[in-house]
Amino acid sequence: MISIQNVSLTFGETNVLRSISLELSERRIAIIGANGSGKSSFARLLNGLVLPTEGDVQVDGLNTRDKGKDVRRKVGFVFQNPDNQIVFPIVEEDLAFGMKNLGFSKAEITRKTEETLRRYDMLELREHPAHLLSGGQKQLLAISGVLVMEPDYIVMDEPTTLLDLRNKRRIARAISALDQTVILATHDLDLIDGFDRVIGFEGGQICLDGTPADVIPKYKEMMA
């Protein structure tokens, strides 16, 4: 479980999040809200990319304030723009990078690289230049780079925003097939229709919280 306890976040004199308290235990959770609502900042709190100004974020009892490294082992993060996440020029080198840092053996790295690329029909691209992949392939590589680290949770910040319809559907299928808990910040309401829980943000506070059937119609009314 991820527990958010009385969390506020301030950048300079701007209050980005105000007195947020939540427990996240469902398998598929969506975070929605207009630009500037605080949803992306909230997503970054969940694995310690950002620390709260006040309050605490705990992942399975680990506080992001003093256990950031352990939290990031548990919580992988997929950015909106995969170019911000892909480090090495060749696909298999990029996947190997994180595993080497965690001390995986060469045999383990080879096995997990092949398994992960095969999962997304990208095995033939293992020696391909990463920057020459399509937008959808880059995002799948970014997701793969998180998966090989074996996290318990995966947080995604608007992973389909830069993609065309075909690749959006491809990413949607990839998300649906993940074994891990997924927490997804998105504007794409179709993507989250089958999720367990949807949390809406407005002005740095929670304004909606419930099932997609309950929350999405109310959110559409708010945005009208």
Side-chain angles (χ1 to χ4, degrees):
M1 178 186 295
I2 299 179
S3 178
I4 297 95
Q5 303 161 358
N6 300 312
V7 162
S8 294
L9 179 64
T10 302
F11 293 144
E13 296 185 1
T14 302
N15 295 319
V16 180
L17 297 170
R18 303 181 225 178
S19 301
I20 304 294
S21 291
L22 285 172
E23 290 187 348
L24 306 178
S25 57
E26 293 81 3
R27 185 169 176 268
R28 293 289 184 267
I29 301 170
I31 310 298
I32 62 175
N35 291 337
S37 64
K39 69 180 184 303
S40 290
S41 295
F42 176 79
R44 283 165 168 73
L45 288 170
L46 302 180
N47 79 331
L49 284 173
V50 174
L51 296 179
T53 307
E54 298 177 5
D56 294 287
V57 177
Q58 296 190 15
V59 179
D60 295 339
L62 300 171
N63 197 306
T64 60
R65 291 189 182 280
D66 56 10
K67 297 292 183 180
K69 186 175 181 180
D70 294 329
V71 166
R72 282 184 283 278
R73 278 295 309 270
K74 281 184 165 288
V75 186
F77 197 97
V78 178
F79 291 88
Q80 175 181 343
N81 187 345
D83 288 326
N84 294 335
Q85 195 157 344
I86 296 170
V87 178
F88 280 83
I90 302 300
V91 167
E92 65 180 357
E93 292 176 353
D94 193 73
L95 288 181
F97 173 65
M99 291 186 281
K100 287 178 181 177
N101 287 340
L102 292 178
F104 285 33
S105 70
K106 186 175 181 180
E108 285 177 307
I109 291 171
T110 299
R111 177 181 60 81
K112 289 182 65 61
T113 295
E114 291 180 355
E115 286 178 355
T116 304
L117 290 175
R118 185 176 290 110
R119 179 175 189 171
Y120 296 125
D121 298 321
M122 292 175 62
L123 187 58
E124 72 280 5
L125 299 174
R126 62 184 302 163
E127 298 180 0
H128 196 76
H131 71 281
L132 294 181
L133 297 173
S134 70
Q137 289 170 335
K138 285 183 179 180
Q139 196 60 279
L140 287 170
L141 177 57
I143 293 172
S144 298
V146 170
L147 283 179
V148 294
M149 308 289 281
E150 301 179 340
D152 297 318
Y153 308 85
I154 299 178
V155 179
M156 300 184 177
D157 185 16
E158 302 185 29
T160 61
T161 297
L162 302 176
L163 302 181
D164 61 24
L165 181 58
R166 178 181 288 113
N167 281 309
K168 282 184 179 183
R169 289 175 173 169
R170 193 176 184 190
I171 297 302
R173 290 193 296 270
I175 292 171
S176 178
L178 291 172
D179 295 326
Q180 290 88 344
T181 294
V182 174
I183 302 166
L184 174 69
T186 186
H187 290 295
D188 190 344
L189 301 182
D190 291 335
L191 184 63
I192 62 174
D193 185 56
F195 273 41
D196 303 307
R197 182 179 181 185
V198 181
I199 301 168
F201 277 76
E202 178 67 25
Q205 296 180 303
I206 296 169
C207 61
L208 298 166
D209 190 352
T211 66
D214 290 334
V215 169
I216 290 176
K218 294 175 183 177
Y219 179 71
K220 287 180 177 178
E221 288 181 12
M222 287 174 54
M223 296 296 108

